[in-house]
Structures are given as C-alpha cells and as structure tokens.
Amino acid sequence: MSAAAGLTTLGAGACSTPSRGQSQSAVQQVTAPPPSGVLGANFNGDPRVMTFGELETAGATWVRGFFAMPDADEGEPGEAPAISTLLQASARGYGTVLSLKFPYFPERGKPLPRPGTDAMNAELKRLDQVLPAVLDEVDVLVIGNEPFIECPHDDWNNGAINAFYEAVADHVIEYRAAHFPGGCRTALYMGALNHLEDPGWTGAGTERWMTYVRDTPEIEGTDIHPHVASLADSDTYLDYVLPRLGPDKKFLVTEFSLVQLWEEHLTDRVSAEYAAKYGVPPGTRVWQVIKKALDEPFPQDRWYDFLRTSPWFENNKDYLRDQVRKFRATGKLAVATYGIGQDTAMSSDFGPGKKPWLLNSLFASRSVQPLPDGTPAPNYAWLDEFKALQHR
C-alpha cells in the first residue's frame, strides 16, 4: 500500500490476543513452507488489523509488515508493534517478512541523505538499533518499503536514491557478516518498485537498482508492489524485473491489488438491483455506499450484494487466484503477501478521492458487522481463493 496507507505508531501488544473472541490456547503452531511461491498475509504498518486467529482462518503461514525507521528513535525497536508482532509470529512457526521504511516523502521537503553526511550517519545509527532485534529472527528483511514513492522525484534518476539504498544495504550486509559469521537465517531483498506499468517510473534509477540487486551476491532479489488497474498492467512488472534479475535471484510481492481499477469506479452509480433492494436513490455513487458502510457497518449480506452487483468488481473476483498463478508461473516468486484487514488509514474520511484499499482485504472488520461469534466477516470474494492458493 502506497504512501500514507499504513500506520506506524501503534499500541503495544497489538497482536497479543489470537482473535476477537478466541482464547490464547486455541492458537496453533504452524509450519511455514520454504519461501518459494508462497502466498502470505500482509498487515503493512498496523498489526491491529490482524489476529493469529484470522491467520488460522485464512490458512496463512507467512506474515509481512513494515517498520518506519524514525520510530527507532522512540524506543526499543523489538518492542515496536510491527516488529514485535512478527517476532511473535516467528515464535509460532510463521515465516516472516519485515520491510524497513525510510519515509522521505516529497511533501516533507527533505532530500534523501547522501552517504557520508550527518543525516546518513543518523540513518545508519537507527539501523544499528533495529538489526539486533530482527536479524536471524525474521526470515526476510526488505531494505526499503516503496523507495521511489518515499523520496523526492528529483532523487529518482540523479543517483541519490541508489546511493542511499546501496549504502543502507551495504551496512546491513556488513553487520550481518560481522555478527553472524556462522550464517544467518535472514535473507536480504531490496524493495519495492512501484508503478512499473508507467514508463515515467522507470529510468536510470530503476536500472541501477536492478543492477545492484543482480550483482550483489548477498542480495537475493527485489520486491515489487503492483497495485494496478488490470492483470496486463501487472505483467509489465514481471517484464521489467525478470530479465534484469539474473539467473539466481527471485522476487517478492509484499503488496499487490487491483486498487487502481476500484478507484476508477468510485463515482459510478450503484446498480439498479442494489438500489431497489436496499431503498437507496438510483443516483447513489459507489463511494457513498462505501462511506455509509464505514459509518454504519453493513450486515454481511448487504456488503456482498453491493459488490456482487457491481460489474467492475464481480467480473474481477478471481483476481487473487489469477494474479498469484501468474507470479508462480515465473518460477521466480519467493513470497507474495496480500492485505489481511481494513486499517484506520484506509477507512477514515472516505470520499471520492480516497483510494479504496479496503475492498482488497481478506477480512472486512470496518465495513461489515462482526459475525455472531465476534470475529470479523470475510470480505467478499478473497478469503476462499486465498485459502485455496495455500495448496499447490
């Protein structure tokens, strides 16, 4: 999920209970398969959207989250919600993926630190606080969250983004070698590339990015985030990355969705069938229904009817199955992770200009009333396909 779609400062113990209404003793240990063609669950920066009970319901064996590096200044990184949740998951047998987020968004007006500067040294100091908590504890460490989104545009192709992330990666590599001379379970990836369907997002920066990935033995591959409008758009990610990976590297897909397609239809009118059944004016727009559901969560049947009678959604309800099959067919997929819940950032202040991330999630904890047992209802379409994709 791009830019501001995930929270980074959360209450401690966000995942300390297995499920809403489920006892701790009911949670089972899992055995995570090796990172080869795996489909896992993603909570982004907010583990409150996920419980271990929901992971069990989904059949997930891998979990991904991100940690914003400035939060290392606020306390012990291992106690931060995203990292502590992943450490708990690891202790339960889950495979774990942690992305390190360096938020130099354009609107913040700060360029990426240049190697050798005080700003760069401050970032490396934060790394030295985080690495002891995560190396040899998580299975995959992704160096960067969405680097090209999270930095000024001027730094894309002037060498700055590459110099920064290469310096970070080199520091991680050196730290791992020095502290784990006998070997470390944590694999290193660079990540993640965005908007590769748009030629404006490729250039000298992405070329050097892939060259570093290919030519650095300690880096096992790159991450991609194809949030797209069609499966064809996601193909452009594979067309770009695969030839540049080299024969021995793999790729991650720690975020992916059709959110750009959903966004195109927010101002569509709802279907006549839905309007008649639920007594809403025929001119009601899609975004207004979503906002209504967030303000006053719908019964499950009403939410399902809304999406079932929306052709732009119903005609793509097999997206998750089709997309994961495409990733797996390359033979190069390590781990893909799909959004599990509807967090505050994706749900608050909803309107026609808000990206509808919440239509992607496996569970609909904010737009649908809880099930009778108190657990969140599955979102329409995705959960059954997610569960089926655990078996290959």
Side-chain angles (χ1 to χ4, degrees), residues 101-113:
K101 178 173 181 169
F102 297 87
Y104 286 87
F105 293 106
E107 62 270 21
R108 298 189 179 182
K110 290 185 178 181
L112 282 171

Side-chain angles (χ1 to χ4, degrees), residues 35-47:
S36 180
V38 169
L39 175 63
N42 169 39
F43 62 76
N44 283 304
D46 188 353

Side-chain angles (χ1 to χ4, degrees), residues 10 37 41 67 130 166 187 220 225 230 232 261 292 300 321 327 378:
L10 312 170
F67 175 74
V130 172
E166 288 168 16
E220 299 199 19
H225 284 183
S230 68
L261 176 62
K292 176 71 172 175
Q300 185 179 28
R321 179 199 67 191
F327 293 150

